[in-house]
Amino acid sequence: MERCPFENELILVSNRGPISYTRGEDGELKTVRGGGGLVTALLGVAASCEITWIASAMTPEDAEISIRVGGGSTKVTHDEHRLGLRFVVSDPEVYNKFYNIIANPLIWFIQHYLWDLSVVPDIRHNEFEAWENGYQVVNREFADVVCDELDARGNERPVVMLHDYHLYTCPSLVRERHPEAFLHQFVHIPWPQSDSWRVLPRHIRQAIVRGLLANDIVAFHTQRYVRNFLVSCEELIGAEVEVDFARSVVIVAGREVWVRAYPISIDCADFERLAESESVLEEERYIEALRREYLVLRVDRMDLSKNIVRGFKAFDMFLDDHPEFKQRITFLALLQPSRGDVKEYNTYRQQIMREVEVINTKHGTTNWMPIDVRMQDNFMRSVAAYKQFDVLMVNAIYDGMNLIAKEAGLINRHDGVLILSENTGAHEELGEYCLSVNPFDLESQSEAIYQALIMEKDEKSRRAGMIRDTVKHNDIQKWIETQFVDIKAKMTEKAEAT
Ligand code: G6P
């Protein structure tokens, strides 16, 4: 990969960092890689630039390391890349309000249209308090650390790249103290239509939009989210801004903010290597042993936005309509536990298990279980299953991108068919080659399972090939490089304006 196109160092800022520390049974500190696609993608940035990564201390051991280095950064090696890692240590109660009351569920649910507005959410003292004494405090703590890093570098002017919905108000706090800073923020989840934000009281929704507009560039995965954001600026703080839709720019307080789409992807070469690794091959034998003639697969974080229950209901309908497939097919669901401290997630987990029990009791036999659910975090097993599926179900209600569709599409060995929700970011790129479904339409999902199973071999192979080519053509390097090109252009524009 090319080096950064500019001299400046990068400061990455995200809630979850690349590495977390824990203590092994022997009492020794050991590192665990931060989960999720975001960390993987950002490690790609680390491969090409000198970076310092600022992230929340997730464990007591992270906090311990932070104290050991006097609150500063520590050098760590990850996948052969050296990077500086600096933890933001928050009081656990403050962090709980930030993460478990405001970021997840309140903001996450708004951005994925998950609230059933006739009954939830209730915004009471608890939520107002969690906004002031949780979300805002953690954002301020992040801003303090970012400012500290900027102060330490003086005229070197590093580029600050912030990530995601945890840090919406951080940029305005940095901008106040460092008007000259170069701030870039990537929102990795959908940006919904502007009225969705009216769930939040005015001062909160406005602080979110103002915070984002303190950046020089605000980035999303798709053009749809870009449009929604531009409209939100006009609708929610119209008196303060001028929105230029043609140039995709918002003018605020004499500054121009670029709003751009960069569809995130995966490191294809790395992923293909991983697919051939011994640990994946071993898991593949496990998958081969459990599969029958056909394997329907879903791999998801256990999140309400992933639409897991409706996927099972559609499979139930499929078995009703096509009993000839009974005994010959397994729906394997590999679900990683997530956000267990948020009550909505716990209720959802119970709902999933209830639905599976009903369907397995209805259709299953003593030697055949139609749905096989594994609630665990076993990445190697997921990769092995990616290679083996005949049908991949990605029916998310809304999803910023959905990297599962890309990862699995790249390495599948069966010319498997992708069933993809039209409300995923990935649909903008892969929509032509998948069986496209509306996530609420159970009929279409059930029919898509059937169509995938009876599809002609040549057609399956053509579609699978197109998915592979599309993913390879826009892989993670392209995602990073196109952002670097824009950052450089925006820096030049800023320099010329002063
Ligand atoms: C998903 C989203 C990311 C987000 C992450 C947070 O992966 O796509 O945009 O940052 O969730 O997950 P966490 O496990 O840290 O709550």
Side-chain angles (χ1 to χ4, degrees):
M1 175 193 272
E2 274 184 29
R3 299 286 306 163
C4 287
F6 37 83
E7 293 304 305
N8 315 51
E9 194 195 327
L10 284 183
I11 297 181
L12 293 186
V13 193
S14 65
N15 175 47
R16 196 174 284 279
I19 276 174
S20 214
Y21 289 86
T22 57
R23 219 170 265 290
E25 279 170 16
D26 55 5
E28 288 297 305
L29 280 178
K30 56 175 192 165
T31 55
V32 189
R33 183 200 161 120
L38 186 136
V39 165
T40 313
L42 298 189
L43 281 168
V45 180
S48 67
C49 285
E50 198 178 322
I51 67 164
T52 295
W53 195 324
I54 300 172
S56 281
M58 294 282 175
T59 61
E61 290 80 7
D62 289 348
E64 188 184 320
I65 292 283
S66 178
I67 291 167
R68 219 185 266 181
V69 296
S73 74
T74 166
K75 283 279 173 212
V76 293
T77 304
H78 196 281
D79 289 351
E80 296 162 23
H81 313 309
R82 293 278 288 162
L83 50 105
L85 175 61
R86 186 161 172 184
F87 288 118
V88 176
V89 185
S90 302
D91 175 272
E93 241 179 71
V94 170
Y95 189 83
N96 178 51
K97 291 172 190 169
F98 156 81
Y99 187 80
N100 291 322
I101 300 182
I102 302 298
N104 313 297
L106 199 48
I107 295 177
W108 176 273
F109 275 38
I110 287 173
Q111 293 199 236
H112 291 84
Y113 303 92
L114 293 176
W115 290 120
D116 173 359
L117 293 184
S118 60
V119 279
V120 275
D122 290 335
I123 310 245
R124 303 169 193 253
H125 174 75
N126 187 44
E127 286 68 27
F128 282 115
E129 206 268 332
W131 170 259
E132 284 309 327
N133 299 327
Y135 193 85
Q136 292 283 55
V137 173
V138 173
N139 271 263
R140 206 171 307 126
E141 288 168 342
F142 266 92
D144 287 345
V145 175
V146 171
C147 287
D148 196 40
E149 291 287 329
L150 291 175
D151 290 339
R153 284 168 182 77
N155 287 332
E156 281 171 33
R157 304 268 173 100
V159 171
V160 180
M161 295 178 94
L162 300 115
H163 289 269
D164 243 341
Y165 58 99
H166 312 91
L167 300 174
Y168 283 152
T169 57
C170 178
S172 35
L173 300 165
V174 176
R175 177 72 64 207
E176 273 168 23
R177 280 143 70 185
H178 281 270
E180 79 299 342
F182 193 94
L183 306 178
H184 177 287
Q185 188 154 7
F186 207 109
V187 179
H188 291 262
I189 62 176
W191 190 271
Q193 288 166 0
S194 61
D195 276 351
S196 314
W197 289 102
R198 294 183 187 275
V199 166
L200 294 175
R202 185 189 301 261
H203 74 280
I204 298 183
R205 63 183 191 243
Q206 291 190 334
I208 287 175
V209 179
R210 285 184 191 126
L212 276 166
L213 289 177
N215 290 289
D216 294 289
I217 299 180
V218 181
F220 299 93
H221 289 312
T222 70
Q223 290 299 344
R224 201 202 300 189
Y225 309 149
V226 165
R227 268 194 307 278
N228 286 346
F229 180 73
L230 293 172
V231 174
S232 298
C233 293
E234 207 169 56
E235 292 286 328
L236 303 177
I237 54 163
E240 301 166 27
V241 297
E242 193 187 313
V243 180
D244 184 336
F245 285 88
R247 293 174 56 232
S248 208
V249 157
V250 181
I251 299 155
V252 55
R255 291 186 309 107
E256 273 205 354
V257 182
W258 290 7
V259 186
R260 297 287 182 266
Y262 312 94
I264 199 169
S265 195
I266 57 171
D267 185 330
C268 293
D270 244 29
F271 214 79
E272 276 168 338
R273 254 194 311 276
L274 176 71
E276 293 310 319
S277 66
E278 193 40 54
S279 27
V280 169
L281 295 179
E282 194 184 317
E283 285 295 338
E284 224 184 324
R285 290 189 281 276
Y286 176 87
I287 302 285
E288 262 161 14
L290 72 77
R291 66 167 296 150
R292 299 220 165 179
E293 198 178 333
Y294 300 105
L295 181 68
V296 180
L297 174 71
R298 76 172 307 137
V299 177
D300 284 301
R301 221 168 24 78
M302 207 160 36
D303 194 289
L304 291 81
S305 66
K306 304 294 181 184
N307 211 16
I308 297 162
V309 174
R310 282 200 191 85
F312 291 151
K313 284 184 177 163
F315 188 61
D316 175 27
M317 288 166 63
F318 159 79
L319 291 175
D320 281 339
D321 292 347
H322 302 285
E324 69 277 16
F325 280 93
K326 286 190 178 185
Q327 302 278 352
R328 297 161 61 200
I329 193 164
T330 302
F331 191 155
L332 176 66
L334 301 177
L335 308 176
Q336 298 103 48
S338 183
R339 305 179 190 161
D341 291 334
V342 178
K343 79 170 182 313
E344 284 81 357
Y345 283 72
N346 268 316
T347 313
Y348 193 56
R349 184 172 49 78
Q350 289 160 15
Q351 240 175 303
I352 291 171
M353 291 320 289
R354 264 202 308 278
E355 192 63 38
V356 170
E357 207 182 306
V358 168
I359 297 170
N360 279 346
T361 308
K362 177 175 161 192
H363 296 285
T365 61
T366 43
N367 69 351
W368 175 60
M369 191 167 61
I371 303 177
D372 186 344
V373 176
R374 308 293 166 104
M375 292 196 180
Q376 59 192 189
D377 200 350
N378 185 340
F379 184 55
M380 296 306 165
R381 182 165 296 172
S382 301
V383 177
Y386 289 166
K387 291 168 79 178
Q388 291 269 337
F389 73 82
D390 298 292
V391 183
L392 180 70
M393 171 73 86
V394 181
N395 63 331
I397 291 175
Y398 281 93
D399 205 340
M401 172 51 72
N402 196 286
L403 287 178
I404 306 285
K406 292 190 172 184
E407 290 171 349
L410 178 76
I411 61 164
N412 179 257
R413 306 290 193 247
H414 286 233
D415 286 340
V417 179
L418 169 64
I419 296 178
L420 186 61
S421 159
E422 60 186 351
N423 293 343
T424 59
H427 199 271
E428 259 186 26
E429 291 166 88
L430 305 180
E432 267 184 73
Y433 318 119
C434 65
L435 293 178
S436 191
V437 290
N438 172 300
F440 307 100
D441 178 350
L442 298 183
E443 299 284 344
S444 85
Q445 289 166 58
S446 162
E447 179 61 17
I449 296 173
Y450 180 62
Q451 289 304 328
L453 292 169
I454 62 162
M455 192 179 283
E456 292 291 334
K457 207 169 171 308
D458 285 356
E459 179 60 8
K460 289 203 311 189
S461 159
R462 185 189 72 80
R463 287 174 185 245
M466 292 307 288
I467 290 176
R468 272 195 303 277
D469 289 351
T470 309
V471 175
K472 282 185 183 161
H473 180 72
N474 178 32
D475 82 351
I476 193 70
Q477 277 76 15
K478 192 162 167 197
W479 181 71
I480 294 165
E481 279 162 19
T482 46
Q483 290 180 81
F484 283 169
V485 168
D486 280 358
I487 289 173
K488 197 172 175 201
K490 180 73 172 128
M491 282 175 125
T492 310
E493 187 201 76
K494 276 183 82 172
E496 283 168 3
T498 50

